[in-house]
Amino acid sequence: MFWYLEHRGALSSRQRIVLQHIKWYTGMQIMMGVYLFEFPGKYSRLTMLDLRSDIKELKGIGPKRAAAFHRIGVHTVYDLLACYPKRYENGAVQGNIASLKPNEDAMLVGTIEGMEERRIRAKLSLLTLYVADESGKIAVSCFNQPFLKRRLRIGKRVCIAGKTSYAYGGRGQLVIKQPRGCFLLEDASASKEIESFSKIQPVYFLTEALTQTIFRAAVKEALTEVSLTDILSDGIRQRNGLLRRQEAFRAIHFPKDDTEQRLARKTLAFEELYLIQCGLFYMKKKNTQLRSGISFYRKGDMVESYRKTLPFALTGDQERTWLDIEKDMSGDRPMRRLVQGDVGSGKTVLAAMALLKAVENSYQGALMAPTEILARQHYEGLVKAFQPFRVRVAFLSGQLTQNQKKAVLVSLADHSVDIVIGTHALLQDGVNYAKLGLVITDEQHRFGVQQRAALESKADLLPDVLVMTATPIPRTMMLTIYGDLDISTIREMPPGRTPIRTFLRRFDRRTLIYKYVKDCILQGGQAYVVCPLVEANEARDLSSAEEVYDELRSGVFYGLPCGLLHGKMGKQEKAAVMEDFHAGKIKLLVATTVIEVGVNVPNASIMVIEHAECFGLSQLHQLRGRVGRGSRHSDCIMIAAAKSEQAITRLELMTQIQDGFQLAEEDMRLRGPGAFFSDRQHGLPDLKIADVFLDMGLLLKAREEAQKEIGKGESKKHILPLLAMMYQKQFSHILDT
Ligand code: ADP
Ligand code: MG
């Protein structure tokens, strides 16, 4: 017989035993690699498994079960092992009857003293067993299990496993209802069953066609067949008190006790965060060290003259951030910097300075914004600001006509334009730059890592990248999403801003509120009204922008110019409304959250938010940031229709906290990282086990270890394949090279 043995990776103990047997039978010397063993007889294939193996190769998984596993996204052994239990069934403690407590996972051995069967309803039968041991007696109720009666006999020794509870109508007696296990001690399988009941058992998310038993058996099989190579070095494990990988996987699925389970979780969460951080550091290293960037060494006078045109002095945080940016830009390593600062903290000024610095060095700059409105606003502002310097600025968005677009593309390609401002259109194929040196993306969290990479790929030398975000992101999340970037934070607001007074009011005060708004408009102000929906929706009892708009302009605000703005309107229509609001032609703007990002109308000093309970704290804070941009004192009035105390408590935080970073932390604490971002384009990797919020401490340690590891430089061949297997989506662009 031929044995064809294929093997990758280290051997499990079982595999070692198999090999010993083969060695013993054949007398052959066994080495690592791929072997052919000669036996008399037929060919037989013995494949050793690793994490990439198809689950069909596991014993007990045929095509049908494999198909069921595929349905829950499990194709490889790794996929299976990474299906962490959603919870555990406690192991039952064997004890005597007298010592049982209510609500306890119990296991007891006793003699059946009586059996009684009753039919309660047509389809419900009850078999009651009376079981006794030397310490006492207990009743065991089994519903709809007629087969039990056939298996059990009075006088036999029986083992029962199940949860104890008080007997209905009894005087504190205990019963076991619907036991998990009930079998005679003389049964052949008894000892095995007792063992399994006394252990903690994992419970998985399943589809039909799979049972917990099948799932557990498959995981067990995988754990014995596969030997896992450690990702974390001995040093890292020791420093952080972590398990070996094999142990961790075993213990997350079949923990001996809670402590072991917690340790396994910690290990796997650490491993996950560590890998992602390694990926991010690797990405950073690849971006900044492996390809050279541009050194904007020349110091022209544009930046300085521009500063002189500003009617204010930069704040301390702005100055510090500018120093960071300037240092990055003049160095020859490509800048990879994130500037985070609350709405109105003055990031745009810094973006303008960076763009001028690129132009001073005869490079082109691109500024990308997530929405048309915002891009236009930047465009208009910067055209005005750059006029004295004869900098040529172009605008590019999907809305331009073919001819307009063509003209812009030509001017970018022949360098007759220095700066282009636009939307996603800047990323498209066919947009070529003569000499792209700086890419700025505003409100970055809406662009994923991939999009960042797409823009960067448009230049020969790696352009400098500046990312600006006004969404304060909790630090852990920041490191997970932007771990490849250097970070500057602007916390200090420009002076002279009066804080936005924020009120929370119940629905029944609406009329009064709008009267107040009207008064302010009559005194020359402008106001926003934000609604959660665009149009009326019968399924949800919320105000829609359209309804509120109709209501207000024909009611309280009759005779005053009102506008409506929402995402379902055409782009030109939207732009026209925004323009009119900007110019003060519209006094009251009813809108959905399209106004959320970056819109700047200094004269607008009041914001009313209808159904504030529909929004997250971060989002409310963003909305609130639309007002308070001028010298007028500003109000944000949240109208809550929610009755739940929890919702009200959450909204009250808005009235107490002005700092966006603090609100972001609260938001994530209250609603979890998933709800934190309103759209899915947040670029946050799908974490399988770690939790960006709860595992903050772990993340920081993992990041530190990852930094050391990547610094050593030999990690590439060992980390990259793992990233490819586990986080393909997030890191695809660094993996294919
Ligand atoms: P952000 O983009 O961070 O939301 P902006 O850059 O749009 O904020 O700035 C908001 C407003 O504050 C603008 O009108 C800007 O001119 C003004 N501003 C910026 N920096 C300062 C400063 N240091 N002192 C006073 N006003 C400032
Ligand atoms: Mg801005």
Side-chain angles (χ1 to χ4, degrees):
M1 182 160 54
F2 278 106
W3 288 85
Y4 170 59
L5 180 65
E6 228 178 57
H7 182 256
R8 288 156 284 183
L11 296 177
S12 71
S13 54
R14 185 154 147 197
Q15 290 164 339
R16 248 178 256 125
I17 294 169
V18 173
L19 281 182
Q20 285 302 326
H21 279 261
I22 297 172
K23 210 164 150 184
W24 183 70
Y25 273 119
T26 60
M28 281 182 75
Q29 200 53 42
I30 294 190
M31 296 175 297
M32 302 288 279
V34 178
Y35 306 93
L36 274 177
F37 296 91
E38 205 173 329
F39 282 85
K42 282 190 284 176
Y43 284 103
S44 155
R45 190 176 152 170
L46 172 66
T47 308
M48 293 207 168
L49 303 181
D50 68 15
L51 287 177
R52 283 183 189 76
S53 306
D54 196 305
I55 44 162
K56 270 185 240 154
E57 310 219 7
L58 290 173
K59 212 169 65 197
I61 299 189
K64 224 177 180 170
R65 277 188 190 165
F69 274 108
H70 291 171
R71 245 172 284 145
I72 50 172
V74 173
H75 297 269
T76 64
V77 170
Y78 168 72
D79 296 338
L80 180 69
L81 290 180
C83 283
Y84 301 116
K86 64 173 174 185
R87 60 182 179 84
Y88 300 86
E89 261 165 15
N90 285 330
V93 194
Q94 194 172 343
N96 56 30
I97 293 175
S99 63
L100 292 179
K101 287 187 233 25
N103 276 324
E104 162 177 73
D105 272 297
M107 182 156 60
L108 56 96
V109 171
T111 310
I112 305 179
E113 296 203 323
M115 283 203 281
E116 190 180 278
E117 195 178 23
R118 266 198 306 146
R119 182 151 292 278
I120 297 177
R121 266 183 271 120
K123 283 190 177 153
L124 186 65
S125 72
L126 169 64
L127 175 70
T128 309
L129 307 175
Y130 298 96
V131 179
D133 67 6
E134 32 331 319
S135 73
K137 291 179 195 219
I138 191 165
V140 179
S141 330
C142 312
F143 295 95
N144 284 346
Q145 300 191 47
F147 52 90
L148 266 183
K149 194 180 156 208
R150 269 174 270 132
R151 267 178 26 205
L152 304 176
R153 290 274 173 283
I154 291 179
K156 295 272 186 201
R157 302 271 289 160
V158 70
C159 177
I160 309 278
K163 218 175 192 88
T164 53
S165 58
Y166 286 116
Y168 179 71
R171 290 192 205 87
Q173 292 114 309
L174 295 178
V175 287
I176 292 179
K177 276 189 205 144
Q178 202 64 344
R180 280 200 278 143
C182 178
F183 46 91
L184 295 181
L185 277 192
E186 64 192 35
D187 289 351
S189 61
S191 65
K192 223 170 126 190
E193 294 216 33
I194 289 181
E195 196 191 308
S196 82
F197 284 121
S198 56
K199 281 189 183 148
I200 299 177
Q201 293 289 342
V203 179
Y204 300 96
F205 286 106
L206 300 177
T207 58
E208 359 67 87
L210 285 176
T211 64
Q212 296 295 346
T213 319
I214 294 175
F215 210 105
R216 286 172 194 161
V219 172
K220 230 177 219 156
E221 181 68 14
L223 286 170
T224 38
E225 283 303 315
V226 175
S227 49
L228 299 168
T229 320
D230 278 311
I231 294 176
L232 306 172
S233 68
D234 295 346
I236 295 180
R237 282 202 315 277
Q238 273 154 22
R239 278 193 293 278
N240 298 283
L242 304 172
L243 297 173
R244 303 199 62 156
R245 196 164 196 228
Q246 183 96 30
E247 264 302 280
F249 269 106
R250 201 265 309 144
I252 196 77
H253 290 287
F254 300 103
K256 291 196 192 83
D257 50 35
D258 285 356
T259 322
E260 201 189 57
Q261 189 272 340
R262 272 197 297 273
L263 193 53
R265 202 204 83 89
K266 179 180 167 193
T267 302
L268 293 170
F270 188 97
E271 193 184 285
E272 174 164 52
L273 296 168
Y274 172 81
L275 276 174
I276 290 174
Q277 291 301 323
C278 280
L280 290 167
F281 278 122
Y282 180 69
M283 192 152 88
K284 178 174 182 176
K285 187 166 165 178
K286 189 175 157 184
N287 276 340
T288 55
Q289 291 174 0
L290 307 183
R291 272 171 76 186
S292 59
I294 304 158
S295 165
F296 298 87
Y297 58 89
R298 207 178 307 151
K299 258 198 156 117
D301 49 12
M302 283 185 190
V303 176
E304 283 316 308
S305 323
Y306 170 70
R307 285 183 65 149
K308 289 200 190 99
T309 67
L310 295 175
F312 47 75
L314 296 188
T315 63
D317 278 352
Q318 279 174 316
E319 286 289 1
R320 265 186 291 281
T321 305
W322 174 245
L323 284 182
D324 289 342
I325 295 171
E326 200 176 30
K327 194 163 125 248
D328 287 353
M329 285 184 77
S330 47
D332 56 7
R333 286 220 264 128
M335 167 166 73
R336 289 293 174 272
R337 184 164 295 277
L338 174 84
V339 174
Q340 57 168 352
D342 224 333
V343 264
S345 60
K347 297 179 297 296
T348 314
V349 179
L350 298 176
M353 287 163 67
L355 288 168
L356 287 177
K357 181 148 185 85
V359 177
E360 274 178 7
N361 284 269
S362 52
Y363 277 92
Q364 290 169 301
L367 171 61
M368 182 162 74
T371 63
E372 178 89 16
I373 293 180
L374 196 60
R376 273 204 184 273
Q377 197 174 282
H378 276 315
Y379 173 70
E380 277 149 23
L382 292 181
V383 165
K384 225 179 273 162
F386 292 164
Q387 220 153 27
F389 312 106
R390 273 185 272 135
V391 171
R392 298 155 301 180
V393 188
F395 179 76
L396 184 64
S397 85
Q399 267 179 53
L400 300 186
T401 63
Q402 282 305 333
N403 283 341
Q404 286 171 320
K405 215 184 274 176
K406 214 174 275 164
V408 175
L409 294 187
V410 168
S411 60
L412 285 175
D414 69 10
H415 208 159
S416 52
V417 147
D418 303 302
I419 286 168
V420 62
I421 295 163
T423 57
H424 276 89
L426 297 182
L427 296 176
Q428 278 155 8
D429 290 339
V431 184
N432 296 308
Y433 299 84
K435 217 175 158 197
L436 181 62
L438 172 70
V439 174
I440 303 181
T441 55
D442 196 6
E443 316 297 342
Q444 169 72 18
H445 81 265
R446 294 172 175 240
F447 301 118
V449 164
Q450 279 102 324
Q451 279 126 322
R452 240 186 278 161
L455 243 186
E456 288 167 24
S457 68
K458 292 198 173 288
D460 302 332
L461 282 172
L462 269 181
D464 278 2
V465 173
L466 187 62
V467 170
M468 302 192 301
T469 177
T471 312
I473 298 177
R475 180 163 154 75
T476 37
M477 227 183 246
M478 187 61 96
L479 294 178
T480 319
I481 309 173
Y482 301 121
D484 60 322
L485 304 178
D486 300 311
I487 297 174
S488 305
T489 304
I490 308 181
R491 268 198 114 118
E492 185 184 354
M493 292 301 247
R497 298 273 162 86
T498 39
I500 302 162
R501 297 187 303 185
T502 306
F503 307 95
L504 178 63
R505 294 290 180 264
R506 303 268 173 175
F507 204 70
D508 53 16
R509 303 286 291 279
R510 235 172 131 248
T511 323
L512 279 176
I513 292 167
Y514 282 119
K515 268 211 189 98
Y516 171 71
V517 174
K518 189 179 173 186
D519 286 345
C520 296
I521 288 181
L522 291 175
Q523 284 162 29
Q526 280 172 285
Y528 296 97
V529 178
V530 181
C531 304
L533 299 177
V534 174
E535 51 198 33
N537 178 344
E538 283 177 22
R540 302 184 63 194
D541 191 18
L542 298 174
S543 313
S544 76
E546 286 176 346
E547 279 175 310
V548 171
Y549 172 67
D550 285 338
E551 175 204 336
L552 294 180
R553 89 183 153 139
S554 57
V556 198
F557 295 91
Y558 183 76
L560 287 171
C562 301
L564 175 66
L565 186 75
H566 60 68
K568 287 193 182 165
M569 286 162 48
K571 293 190 179 169
Q572 255 125 28
E573 218 181 334
K574 268 194 289 192
V577 171
M578 236 13 254
E579 215 159 281
D580 285 351
F581 189 60
H582 209 277
K585 286 189 215 149
I586 291 177
K587 297 293 179 193
L588 182 86
L589 183 64
V590 182
T592 55
T593 52
V594 285
I595 57 152
E596 186 182 339
V597 184
V599 173
N600 189 13
V601 180
N603 191 44
S605 60
I606 297 193
M607 169 159 294
V608 179
I609 303 175
E610 296 256 0
H611 287 276
E613 72 276 4
C614 295
F615 303 100
L617 290 178
S618 290
Q619 206 179 6
L620 287 169
H621 180 69
Q622 290 276 302
L623 287 169
R624 174 167 68 181
R626 301 299 123 230
V627 295
R629 302 193 143 227
S631 49
R632 230 174 246 285
H633 81 234
S634 296
D635 295 319
C636 172
I637 307 165
M638 302 182 294
I639 304 178
K643 290 179 188 70
S644 109
E645 266 318 299
Q646 210 186 348
I648 298 298
T649 317
R650 188 166 67 89
L651 291 175
E652 267 166 1
L653 290 174
M654 286 294 298
T655 65
Q656 296 149 10
I657 303 174
Q658 293 272 342
D659 179 22
F661 292 93
Q662 210 181 330
L663 283 169
E665 300 275 354
E666 289 291 337
D667 202 17
M668 186 152 91
R669 189 172 63 77
L670 292 169
R671 298 195 308 157
F676 183 77
F677 293 103
S678 45
D679 48 18
R680 293 205 53 77
Q681 277 212 356
H682 48 55
L684 191 68
D686 293 328
L687 296 175
K688 292 200 169 67
I689 191 163
D691 178 313
V692 262
F693 188 66
L694 297 175
D695 294 322
M696 158 110 71
L698 214 52
L699 171 77
L700 295 177
K701 285 194 198 122
R703 183 171 164 86
E704 195 181 308
E705 297 288 2
Q707 189 158 24
K708 273 190 242 161
E709 185 68 25
I710 292 291
K712 280 190 226 151
E714 72 235 31
S715 53
K716 186 179 159 187
K717 60 179 187 305
H718 140 84
I719 297 291
L720 287 189
L722 289 164
L723 283 174
M725 178 167 73
M726 298 162 72
Y727 304 100
Q728 174 75 41
K729 263 208 311 263
Q730 283 78 33
F731 293 106
S732 53
H733 59 283
I734 56 167
L735 294 170
D736 40 62
T737 44

